[in-house]
Amino acid sequence: MSATLHVIFGPSGAGKTTYAHAFARREKAVAFILDEWMAKLFAPDMPDPIEYDWMIERVQRCEAQIWSTAAGVLATGTPVILDIGLLRRADRARVREIAAAADLPLQFHFVTADVEVRRARVAERNVVKGDNFAIEVSPAMFDFAEGVFEHPSPEELAGAIVSESE
């Protein structure tokens, strides 16, 4: 039996990383958190102000390496958790296609919360810089992500595990 590919998605500040880490501990899975990779590999070199093209190029590099490493982990029979953004429906559809092509069991997890809860959570995380802090998300970055995020349709959520945090 193949290991399951668990894919976490939701809007900024919803609690995806907290959810992914807790799920990984509980299920003895390996979590791949894009923000953590970006922070470790590229944060020291990040231009200020952030440049979109600079960021996207590095996100794509990280995603390619995450997919490559995750494939090796899945091949051992160990479940994998991906928290790699997936703000747009097309991004999530691409993950479905990859999993189907590799004949991988796939489970989506939609993590969400009210926008004001998420906004406050991100502002607090920027100050506290606790366990789940990877990179500062400015109010402008939060608003940008809000504009890019495409809420899943009921069809897309069919079979997904939905978690609403407070």
Side-chain angles (χ1 to χ4, degrees):
M1 183 168 127
S2 298
T4 299
L5 175 63
H6 295 274
V7 178
I8 315 300
F9 75 101
S12 184
K16 297 179 298 292
T17 300
T18 299
Y19 181 96
H21 283 301
F23 190 81
R25 285 189 301 274
R26 188 174 63 247
E27 301 297 322
K28 301 196 179 357
V30 177
F32 292 91
I33 314 293
L34 177 63
D35 288 352
E36 293 173 0
W37 285 54
M38 289 291 293
K40 291 271 194 260
L41 296 172
F42 302 117
D45 307 316
M46 190 179 302
D48 185 19
I50 190 69
E51 297 166 8
Y52 181 78
D53 290 341
W54 183 94
M55 180 71 86
I56 290 302
E57 178 186 331
R58 282 147 186 87
V59 164
Q60 290 171 342
R61 281 194 238 162
C62 280
E63 280 187 1
Q65 190 60 38
I66 285 170
W67 274 107
S68 175
T69 307
V73 171
L74 286 161
T76 70
T78 303
V80 162
I81 300 163
L82 295 182
D83 174 6
I84 58 171
L86 305 179
L87 298 176
R88 298 174 308 145
R89 288 184 194 101
D91 299 330
R92 299 185 295 265
R94 182 176 46 88
V95 169
R96 276 189 173 76
E97 291 169 6
I98 291 168
D103 200 26
L104 288 172
L106 174 64
Q107 178 64 64
F108 275 98
H109 300 252
F110 176 54
V111 179
T112 190
D114 178 76
V115 66
E116 292 311 317
V117 168
R118 295 185 290 105
R119 190 181 303 278
R121 187 178 288 155
V122 167
E124 180 180 353
R125 186 173 61 205
N126 286 340
V127 173
V128 175
K129 295 181 173 45
D131 290 343
N132 288 330
F133 178 83
I135 190 167
E136 185 165 326
V137 177
S138 69
M141 288 170 68
F142 181 90
D143 290 340
F144 175 79
E146 281 296 290
V148 173
F149 181 72
E150 294 176 353
H151 222 290
S153 67
E155 295 79 26
E156 189 178 7
L157 286 177
I161 295 169
V162 177
S163 174
E164 183 150 359
S165 60
E166 296 178 7

